[in-house]
Amino acid sequence: MQRAVIMGADHAGFMLKSLIKKHLEILGWQVTDVGTATADSVDYPDYGHLVAEKISKGEAPFGILLCGTGIGMSIVANRHRGVRAALCWNEDVARLARTDDDANILVMGARFLDNSVALGCVDIFLKTPFEGGRHAARVNKIEI
Ligand code: RB5
C-alpha cells in the first residue's frame, strides 16, 4: 500500500500535527499537510473537509485529523463518501479501528492526549491491516 498520509488540524491540533508529521517523515511516509500552520483560531470544518475530500477521492490511503476533542473533525470527515473516520484515544482503540472498521482517517483530540499516546496511536493505526471476514460484511453496510 502507498505510504502516504494526508493531515489536517485546527489551531488546537496544529502543534500535535507538526510532531506527527516529523515523526512520519522520519519513518519515510509521504505527508501532505493541508494546514493549519499556526495557533491563530480557525474553523475545524475547513480542514476536516479538505482532508476527507482527498481521502474520499483516493489521493492517499490514510488521513489524520486533529482538533481539541476530535469530535468536530470526526463529524465533518464522516460526511464524506467512503470515509471512515475513527476517534481514537489509545493504542487498543486505534488497532480496533483498523482491524474491525477499516477506518481510513485517524482522528484524535489534541487537548486530551499525551504526545506519546498520540504517536503510539499513529504507529498502530498505520501498520494494522483490516481483518475483513465478518467485519467486511458490516463495513459494507455503512454507506447509505
Ligand atoms: C476549538 O476550540 C474546538 O472547538 C475544536 O478544536 C474541536 O474540539 C471541536 O470539536
Side-chain angles (χ1 to χ4, degrees), residues 97-140:
R98 290 289 308 131
T99 57
D100 292 18
D101 307 304
D102 198 17
N104 47 16
I105 297 186
L106 168 64
V107 188
M108 292 183 288
R111 288 185 174 139
F112 295 89
L113 282 188
D114 288 340
N115 288 343
S116 61
V117 173
L119 290 177
C121 288
V122 169
D123 288 342
I124 291 281
F125 187 89
L126 295 179
K127 78 175 184 199
T128 303
F130 178 46
E131 267 182 20
R134 69 186 190 284
H135 301 299
R138 293 164 185 162
V139 168
N140 287 337

Short mmCIF file of all heavy atoms in Angstrom, two decimals, residues 97-140:
data_model
loop_
_atom_site.label_atom_id
_atom_site.label_comp_id
_atom_site.label_asym_id
_atom_site.label_seq_id
_atom_site.Cartn_x
_atom_site.Cartn_y
_atom_site.Cartn_z
N ALA A 97 -9.85 0.12 15.36
CA ALA A 97 -10.39 0.97 14.29
C ALA A 97 -9.95 0.45 12.92
O ALA A 97 -10.68 0.59 11.93
CB ALA A 97 -9.94 2.42 14.49
N ARG A 98 -8.77 -0.16 12.87
CA ARG A 98 -8.29 -0.73 11.61
C ARG A 98 -8.79 -2.17 11.41
O ARG A 98 -9.32 -2.49 10.36
CB ARG A 98 -6.75 -0.70 11.58
CG ARG A 98 -6.17 0.70 11.45
CD ARG A 98 -6.39 1.28 10.04
NE ARG A 98 -5.92 0.33 9.05
CZ ARG A 98 -6.63 -0.05 7.98
NH1 ARG A 98 -7.82 0.46 7.73
NH2 ARG A 98 -6.13 -0.93 7.14
N THR A 99 -8.60 -3.02 12.41
CA THR A 99 -8.96 -4.44 12.23
C THR A 99 -10.45 -4.61 11.98
O THR A 99 -10.86 -5.40 11.12
CB THR A 99 -8.57 -5.29 13.46
OG1 THR A 99 -9.22 -4.76 14.62
CG2 THR A 99 -7.07 -5.35 13.65
N ASP A 100 -11.28 -3.87 12.71
CA ASP A 100 -12.73 -4.11 12.64
C ASP A 100 -13.47 -3.15 11.71
O ASP A 100 -14.44 -3.55 11.07
CB ASP A 100 -13.36 -3.95 14.04
CG ASP A 100 -12.93 -5.04 15.01
OD1 ASP A 100 -11.91 -5.71 14.75
OD2 ASP A 100 -13.60 -5.20 16.04
N ASP A 101 -13.02 -1.89 11.68
CA ASP A 101 -13.80 -0.86 10.99
C ASP A 101 -13.16 -0.40 9.68
O ASP A 101 -13.75 0.41 8.97
CB ASP A 101 -13.99 0.36 11.91
CG ASP A 101 -14.58 -0.05 13.25
OD1 ASP A 101 -15.65 -0.67 13.25
OD2 ASP A 101 -13.95 0.22 14.29
N ASP A 102 -11.97 -0.88 9.40
CA ASP A 102 -11.24 -0.44 8.20
C ASP A 102 -11.23 1.09 8.12
O ASP A 102 -11.43 1.67 7.05
CB ASP A 102 -11.87 -1.04 6.93
CG ASP A 102 -10.93 -0.98 5.74
OD1 ASP A 102 -9.71 -0.79 5.94
OD2 ASP A 102 -11.41 -1.13 4.60
N ALA A 103 -11.03 1.72 9.27
CA ALA A 103 -11.01 3.19 9.31
C ALA A 103 -9.88 3.71 8.42
O ALA A 103 -8.80 3.12 8.37
CB ALA A 103 -10.81 3.67 10.75
N ASN A 104 -10.16 4.78 7.70
CA ASN A 104 -9.12 5.35 6.84
C ASN A 104 -8.69 6.76 7.28
O ASN A 104 -7.78 7.33 6.69
CB ASN A 104 -9.54 5.33 5.36
CG ASN A 104 -10.94 5.86 5.12
OD1 ASN A 104 -11.51 6.51 6.00
ND2 ASN A 104 -11.48 5.58 3.95
N ILE A 105 -9.35 7.30 8.29
CA ILE A 105 -8.86 8.54 8.89
C ILE A 105 -8.78 8.35 10.41
O ILE A 105 -9.76 7.94 11.05
CB ILE A 105 -9.75 9.76 8.57
CG1 ILE A 105 -9.76 10.02 7.05
CG2 ILE A 105 -9.25 11.00 9.32
CD1 ILE A 105 -10.49 11.29 6.63
N LEU A 106 -7.61 8.61 10.95
CA LEU A 106 -7.40 8.58 12.40
C LEU A 106 -7.67 9.99 12.91
O LEU A 106 -7.08 10.97 12.44
CB LEU A 106 -5.96 8.19 12.70
CG LEU A 106 -5.47 8.37 14.14
CD1 LEU A 106 -6.23 7.46 15.11
CD2 LEU A 106 -3.97 8.10 14.23
N VAL A 107 -8.59 10.10 13.87
CA VAL A 107 -8.90 11.39 14.47
C VAL A 107 -8.50 11.35 15.94
O VAL A 107 -8.76 10.34 16.63
CB VAL A 107 -10.41 11.72 14.36
CG1 VAL A 107 -10.67 13.16 14.82
CG2 VAL A 107 -10.92 11.53 12.95
N MET A 108 -7.88 12.42 16.41
CA MET A 108 -7.51 12.47 17.83
C MET A 108 -7.80 13.85 18.40
O MET A 108 -7.77 14.86 17.70
CB MET A 108 -6.03 12.13 18.01
CG MET A 108 -5.73 10.66 17.68
SD MET A 108 -4.02 10.20 17.94
CE MET A 108 -3.23 11.04 16.58
N GLY A 109 -8.08 13.86 19.70
CA GLY A 109 -8.35 15.09 20.42
C GLY A 109 -7.06 15.58 21.07
O GLY A 109 -6.65 15.06 22.11
N ALA A 110 -6.46 16.59 20.47
CA ALA A 110 -5.12 17.03 20.90
C ALA A 110 -5.10 17.57 22.33
O ALA A 110 -4.08 17.50 23.00
CB ALA A 110 -4.61 18.10 19.94
N ARG A 111 -6.23 18.07 22.80
CA ARG A 111 -6.26 18.64 24.14
C ARG A 111 -6.41 17.58 25.23
O ARG A 111 -6.38 17.89 26.41
CB ARG A 111 -7.39 19.67 24.27
CG ARG A 111 -7.10 20.95 23.52
CD ARG A 111 -8.17 22.01 23.74
NE ARG A 111 -7.77 23.27 23.12
CZ ARG A 111 -8.59 24.08 22.45
NH1 ARG A 111 -9.86 23.77 22.33
NH2 ARG A 111 -8.14 25.19 21.93
N PHE A 112 -6.59 16.33 24.82
CA PHE A 112 -6.87 15.28 25.80
C PHE A 112 -5.91 14.10 25.69
O PHE A 112 -6.15 13.06 26.29
CB PHE A 112 -8.32 14.81 25.66
CG PHE A 112 -9.30 15.89 26.01
CD1 PHE A 112 -9.75 16.77 25.04
CD2 PHE A 112 -9.72 16.06 27.32
CE1 PHE A 112 -10.64 17.79 25.36
CE2 PHE A 112 -10.60 17.08 27.65
CZ PHE A 112 -11.06 17.96 26.67
N LEU A 113 -4.85 14.24 24.90
CA LEU A 113 -3.91 13.13 24.71
C LEU A 113 -2.48 13.57 24.96
O LEU A 113 -2.07 14.65 24.53
CB LEU A 113 -3.98 12.61 23.27
CG LEU A 113 -5.12 11.71 22.85
CD1 LEU A 113 -4.86 11.20 21.44
CD2 LEU A 113 -5.29 10.55 23.81
N ASP A 114 -1.71 12.70 25.64
CA ASP A 114 -0.27 12.94 25.72
C ASP A 114 0.32 12.68 24.33
O ASP A 114 -0.17 11.82 23.60
CB ASP A 114 0.38 11.94 26.69
CG ASP A 114 0.02 12.26 28.13
OD1 ASP A 114 -0.39 13.40 28.39
OD2 ASP A 114 0.13 11.35 28.97
N ASN A 115 1.41 13.41 24.03
CA ASN A 115 2.04 13.23 22.73
C ASN A 115 2.45 11.78 22.49
O ASN A 115 2.31 11.26 21.38
CB ASN A 115 3.28 14.12 22.61
CG ASN A 115 2.90 15.59 22.47
OD1 ASN A 115 1.76 15.91 22.15
ND2 ASN A 115 3.86 16.48 22.71
N SER A 116 2.96 11.12 23.53
CA SER A 116 3.44 9.74 23.35
C SER A 116 2.27 8.80 23.02
O SER A 116 2.42 7.88 22.20
CB SER A 116 4.18 9.27 24.60
OG SER A 116 3.30 9.29 25.69
N VAL A 117 1.13 9.04 23.62
CA VAL A 117 -0.05 8.20 23.31
C VAL A 117 -0.49 8.46 21.87
O VAL A 117 -0.80 7.54 21.12
CB VAL A 117 -1.21 8.50 24.29
CG1 VAL A 117 -2.47 7.76 23.88
CG2 VAL A 117 -0.80 8.12 25.71
N ALA A 118 -0.48 9.74 21.48
CA ALA A 118 -0.90 10.09 20.12
C ALA A 118 0.03 9.44 19.08
O ALA A 118 -0.44 8.87 18.09
CB ALA A 118 -0.91 11.61 19.95
N LEU A 119 1.33 9.49 19.32
CA LEU A 119 2.27 8.87 18.37
C LEU A 119 2.08 7.36 18.34
O LEU A 119 2.18 6.73 17.28
CB LEU A 119 3.72 9.23 18.74
CG LEU A 119 4.12 10.69 18.51
CD1 LEU A 119 5.55 10.93 18.99
CD2 LEU A 119 3.99 11.09 17.05
N GLY A 120 1.80 6.78 19.49
CA GLY A 120 1.53 5.33 19.54
C GLY A 120 0.30 4.98 18.72
O GLY A 120 0.30 3.98 17.98
N CYS A 121 -0.72 5.78 18.83
CA CYS A 121 -1.95 5.55 18.04
C CYS A 121 -1.64 5.63 16.55
O CYS A 121 -2.13 4.81 15.76
CB CYS A 121 -3.02 6.58 18.39
SG CYS A 121 -3.78 6.36 20.01
N VAL A 122 -0.84 6.62 16.17
CA VAL A 122 -0.48 6.78 14.75
C VAL A 122 0.24 5.54 14.24
O VAL A 122 -0.12 4.97 13.19
CB VAL A 122 0.41 8.03 14.56
CG1 VAL A 122 1.01 8.08 13.16
CG2 VAL A 122 -0.39 9.30 14.83
N ASP A 123 1.24 5.09 14.98
CA ASP A 123 2.02 3.93 14.53
C ASP A 123 1.16 2.68 14.38
O ASP A 123 1.25 1.96 13.38
CB ASP A 123 3.17 3.67 15.51
CG ASP A 123 4.26 4.74 15.40
OD1 ASP A 123 4.29 5.46 14.38
OD2 ASP A 123 5.07 4.85 16.34
N ILE A 124 0.33 2.44 15.37
CA ILE A 124 -0.53 1.25 15.34
C ILE A 124 -1.54 1.35 14.20
O ILE A 124 -1.75 0.40 13.44
CB ILE A 124 -1.29 1.10 16.69
CG1 ILE A 124 -0.32 0.75 17.81
CG2 ILE A 124 -2.42 0.09 16.58
CD1 ILE A 124 0.08 -0.69 17.87
N PHE A 125 -2.16 2.52 14.08
CA PHE A 125 -3.19 2.72 13.05
C PHE A 125 -2.61 2.45 11.66
O PHE A 125 -3.22 1.76 10.84
CB PHE A 125 -3.73 4.15 13.14
CG PHE A 125 -4.92 4.44 12.26
CD1 PHE A 125 -6.21 4.22 12.72
CD2 PHE A 125 -4.75 4.95 10.98
CE1 PHE A 125 -7.32 4.49 11.91
CE2 PHE A 125 -5.84 5.23 10.17
CZ PHE A 125 -7.13 5.00 10.64
N LEU A 126 -1.44 2.99 11.39
CA LEU A 126 -0.88 2.90 10.03
C LEU A 126 -0.32 1.52 9.71
O LEU A 126 -0.16 1.19 8.54
CB LEU A 126 0.20 3.97 9.83
CG LEU A 126 -0.31 5.42 9.87
CD1 LEU A 126 0.84 6.40 9.67
CD2 LEU A 126 -1.38 5.66 8.80
N LYS A 127 -0.03 0.73 10.72
CA LYS A 127 0.56 -0.58 10.39
C LYS A 127 -0.43 -1.75 10.53
O LYS A 127 -0.09 -2.88 10.19
CB LYS A 127 1.81 -0.83 11.23
CG LYS A 127 1.57 -1.25 12.66
CD LYS A 127 2.89 -1.58 13.34
CE LYS A 127 2.65 -2.10 14.74
NZ LYS A 127 3.81 -2.04 15.59
N THR A 128 -1.62 -1.49 11.02
CA THR A 128 -2.55 -2.59 11.27
C THR A 128 -3.47 -2.81 10.08
O THR A 128 -4.16 -1.90 9.64
CB THR A 128 -3.40 -2.28 12.52
OG1 THR A 128 -2.52 -2.05 13.63
CG2 THR A 128 -4.34 -3.44 12.83
N PRO A 129 -3.50 -4.02 9.53
CA PRO A 129 -4.41 -4.28 8.40
C PRO A 129 -5.85 -4.53 8.85
O PRO A 129 -6.10 -4.94 9.99
CB PRO A 129 -3.82 -5.56 7.76
CG PRO A 129 -3.01 -6.20 8.81
CD PRO A 129 -2.63 -5.17 9.85
N PHE A 130 -6.76 -4.31 7.93
CA PHE A 130 -8.17 -4.65 8.13
C PHE A 130 -8.29 -6.17 8.13
O PHE A 130 -7.68 -6.84 7.31
CB PHE A 130 -8.99 -4.04 6.99
CG PHE A 130 -10.46 -4.33 7.02
CD1 PHE A 130 -11.19 -4.22 8.19
CD2 PHE A 130 -11.12 -4.72 5.86
CE1 PHE A 130 -12.56 -4.48 8.22
CE2 PHE A 130 -12.48 -4.97 5.86
CZ PHE A 130 -13.20 -4.85 7.05
N GLU A 131 -9.08 -6.71 9.04
CA GLU A 131 -9.22 -8.17 9.15
C GLU A 131 -10.17 -8.76 8.13
O GLU A 131 -10.12 -9.95 7.84
CB GLU A 131 -9.70 -8.54 10.55
CG GLU A 131 -8.55 -8.84 11.49
CD GLU A 131 -9.04 -9.26 12.87
OE1 GLU A 131 -10.22 -9.68 13.01
OE2 GLU A 131 -8.25 -9.16 13.81
N GLY A 132 -11.08 -7.95 7.60
CA GLY A 132 -12.04 -8.47 6.62
C GLY A 132 -13.01 -9.44 7.26
O GLY A 132 -13.39 -9.28 8.42
N GLY A 133 -13.41 -10.48 6.50
CA GLY A 133 -14.32 -11.51 7.04
C GLY A 133 -15.63 -10.90 7.51
O GLY A 133 -16.25 -10.11 6.80
N ARG A 134 -16.03 -11.25 8.73
CA ARG A 134 -17.32 -10.76 9.24
C ARG A 134 -17.34 -9.24 9.33
O ARG A 134 -18.39 -8.62 9.21
CB ARG A 134 -17.64 -11.38 10.60
CG ARG A 134 -16.76 -10.92 11.74
CD ARG A 134 -17.06 -11.70 13.02
NE ARG A 134 -16.40 -11.14 14.19
CZ ARG A 134 -15.10 -11.28 14.48
NH1 ARG A 134 -14.31 -11.94 13.64
NH2 ARG A 134 -14.59 -10.75 15.56
N HIS A 135 -16.17 -8.64 9.52
CA HIS A 135 -16.10 -7.18 9.61
C HIS A 135 -16.39 -6.53 8.25
O HIS A 135 -16.98 -5.46 8.19
CB HIS A 135 -14.74 -6.73 10.13
CG HIS A 135 -14.40 -7.29 11.47
ND1 HIS A 135 -15.15 -7.03 12.59
CD2 HIS A 135 -13.40 -8.11 11.88
CE1 HIS A 135 -14.63 -7.65 13.63
NE2 HIS A 135 -13.57 -8.32 13.23
N ALA A 136 -15.97 -7.20 7.18
CA ALA A 136 -16.20 -6.65 5.84
C ALA A 136 -17.70 -6.55 5.57
O ALA A 136 -18.18 -5.56 5.00
CB ALA A 136 -15.52 -7.52 4.79
N ALA A 137 -18.45 -7.56 5.98
CA ALA A 137 -19.90 -7.54 5.76
C ALA A 137 -20.51 -6.33 6.48
O ALA A 137 -21.43 -5.69 5.96
CB ALA A 137 -20.52 -8.83 6.28
N ARG A 138 -20.00 -6.02 7.65
CA ARG A 138 -20.53 -4.88 8.42
C ARG A 138 -20.13 -3.55 7.79
O ARG A 138 -20.95 -2.64 7.65
CB ARG A 138 -20.03 -4.96 9.86
CG ARG A 138 -20.60 -6.16 10.59
CD ARG A 138 -19.85 -6.49 11.86
NE ARG A 138 -20.38 -7.73 12.45
CZ ARG A 138 -19.74 -8.45 13.35
NH1 ARG A 138 -18.54 -8.09 13.76
NH2 ARG A 138 -20.29 -9.55 13.82
N VAL A 139 -18.86 -3.47 7.41
CA VAL A 139 -18.37 -2.22 6.81
C VAL A 139 -19.15 -1.95 5.51
O VAL A 139 -19.48 -0.80 5.20
CB VAL A 139 -16.85 -2.30 6.56
CG1 VAL A 139 -16.37 -1.16 5.67
CG2 VAL A 139 -16.11 -2.27 7.91
N ASN A 140 -19.48 -3.01 4.80
CA ASN A 140 -20.23 -2.85 3.53
C ASN A 140 -21.63 -2.30 3.75
O ASN A 140 -22.27 -1.84 2.82
CB ASN A 140 -20.30 -4.18 2.76
CG ASN A 140 -18.97 -4.51 2.14
OD1 ASN A 140 -18.13 -3.64 1.91
ND2 ASN A 140 -18.74 -5.80 1.88
#
